[in-house]
Amino acid sequence: MEVRNRIVGFLLILPAFLILALLYVYPLIRAIWMSFIKDGFLSLANYAKAFDIYSRDILYSVVITSVTVGFVLVLSILLASYLRFKEWRFLDIMYRLPLFIPFLIVGHAMRIFLAPHGTLNSLLTRILKVEELPGFSRSWIGLLWTFVWVMTPYAALIILGAFRALDSSYIEAARNLGASKGKIVFTVIIPMCKPSIMVAAILTFVRTISSLTILVMIGPNTPNMITVDMMFRINFFNDWGVANALGVISYLIVIVLAVYYLRFMAAERGGIKG
Amino acid sequence: MRFSIWRITLKVIFVVFMLLIMIGPLVGIVIWSFARVWYWPSPIPQEFTLRYWLEVFRQGRVLNSLMLSVTIALLTVVFSITLAIPAAYGFARYKLPFERVLLLLFLMPQTFPQLPVFINLASIFGRMGLRGNIWGIILAHTMASLVFSLWIITATFKSIPVELEHVAQNLGASRFKTFWTVTFPLAIPGIIAGAIYVFLWSMGEFTAAFFIGAPFIQTAPVLMYTSSMGYNLQIASVIAIILVIPSLIFMVLIERFLKAEYIAGLGG
């Protein structure tokens, strides 16, 4: 009975498993394999070239992504703390607005909004009574702004979920001992919700560093992030070796975070307890 | 709470600030979609036109790309949900062999950058004649959306008390009949939420559609990209608005039924 049960379970998963094995695992292994092939031979030449041309871009990707994660965490913890204690429907809807908007559209909207002669400057120049203001699109500021805009609701949703799931009795206890709200957040809520905050940080990091569409819409022409370099390598040079080497480098950048995340999720059996 | 003029002023400033930074970018694309002539520093376009909106209803590349995207998204939903339902039931109710490995495999696509997989898939499909073919895009979208439709539906099955199934089985129903008459009907809301989510994701997906669809297939996001790069901001804005409206409605209606961890895929 036990064995039969396991076989039935496996058969139920088999079709989905096959799709993932053929269309995800196989291309993944191929990406790693191809990154070591140069002119039909095994070599590290692709990596040498990738670091030679793109080491600045690799560093830039990591820095922009880390700064994004920093901003997103601060904002989403602030939002979650506020909404944990107080209902405010306006804020609740506003912060979630970007949640399901495709990145490409966010990039396009921000490009129009933040351009030198864009919607934002059109308004600001009137209020401030000045002739011209610099635009932020095609600069790292616009890029950072867009990433933070689009990533914060998602991180806040995860963190607020954890904050709300927290047993109120801990908070009541701290409050009865005379702790202020700020102190409760820092000494009780944040330490207890650390795993969820880590998950939010990791997913923000991965989504930011693997984003291509926002960059092609609003990113600076140079320096670029690795995803854009991969696209150029393929579209303009037909150079799959270096593109795949860059892909593997992006895997190596996230691997420590990914392992933490996978262990956390697997421990919860896919994030659903019980 | 004490009445205070400062408090109210601060609140008003905050509300205006939020409206500006959250709604502002969306207002920009709405205005652009009607603009015929718009020179700096005029706050609104000098001339308005409905021309670009009419292209949505007239035979042409905008309508074609939208229809293509809807077709791809609908087929993706069918494949993705059909594969996800049995797998989700397996994860929710059965003890599996190599359970940890399977779990890791199905969580992995969320945790690693997708781009290397998509470009290699494009290259593999190229040799199979699936590049520049809508079936190539549908296969890629099915694979990528499977990961989140699976977890949304697994969560739904887990939320249904297993005792209900035991009751049906004690009354003599087979395992399949139990699933079909008890569990499945109860899971329909979750399955619909998953389906809508997959549909919206597929409609807005750019990367796979761009690399695998090249050079013949232009889905709505790909047309939006080429229009925007060619400074045809009106066409790009019209497509952007059409793609954004269902996302906003979905955000208000469905978000609270979904667990945040499973929707990592959206956006691309």
Side-chain angles (χ1 to χ4, degrees), chain A residues 5 13 30-31 96 100 103-104 108 111-112 117 126 132 149 154 157 207 213 234 240 244 261 269-270 272, chain B residues 21 32 40-41 43 91 94 96 99 110-111 119-120 123 127 206 221 224 228 237 255 260 262 264 266:
Chain A
N5 227 330
I13 294 184
R30 187 177 180 275
R96 283 193 278 130
F100 296 134
F103 281 11
L104 186 72
H108 173 67
R111 188 158 161 243
I112 287 177
H117 289 174
R126 254 164 208 84
E132 290 276 340
W149 193 86
Y154 184 70
L157 204 61
R207 295 177 86 208
T213 43
I234 289 167
W240 295 75
N244 278 320
Y261 171 79
R269 204 170 187 251
I272 318 135
Chain B
I21 61 168
W32 257 112
W40 177 262
F91 272 115
Y94 286 87
L96 301 168
E99 188 172 276
Q110 283 186 1
T111 17
I119 58 177
N120 282 283
S123 151
R127 270 182 278 144
F206 170 75
M224 205 200 118
S228 190
S237 300
E255 173 274 316
Y262 306 122
L266 210 69

Side-chain angles (χ1 to χ4, degrees), chain A residues 220-272:
Chain A
N221 293 321
T222 176
N224 248 319
M225 281 174 64
I226 13 183
T227 44
V228 181
D229 296 333
M230 287 167 71
M231 184 174 161
F232 281 175
R233 250 17 253 185
I234 289 167
N235 283 357
F236 296 135
F237 303 102
N238 204 17
D239 181 357
W240 295 75
V242 173
N244 278 320
L246 286 168
V248 174
I249 291 168
S250 73
Y251 283 153
L252 292 177
I253 292 171
V254 302
I255 199 155
V256 178
L257 300 172
V259 168
Y260 179 95
Y261 171 79
L262 289 175
R263 284 175 62 164
F264 173 80
M265 292 296 274
E268 289 203 355
R269 204 170 187 251
I272 318 135

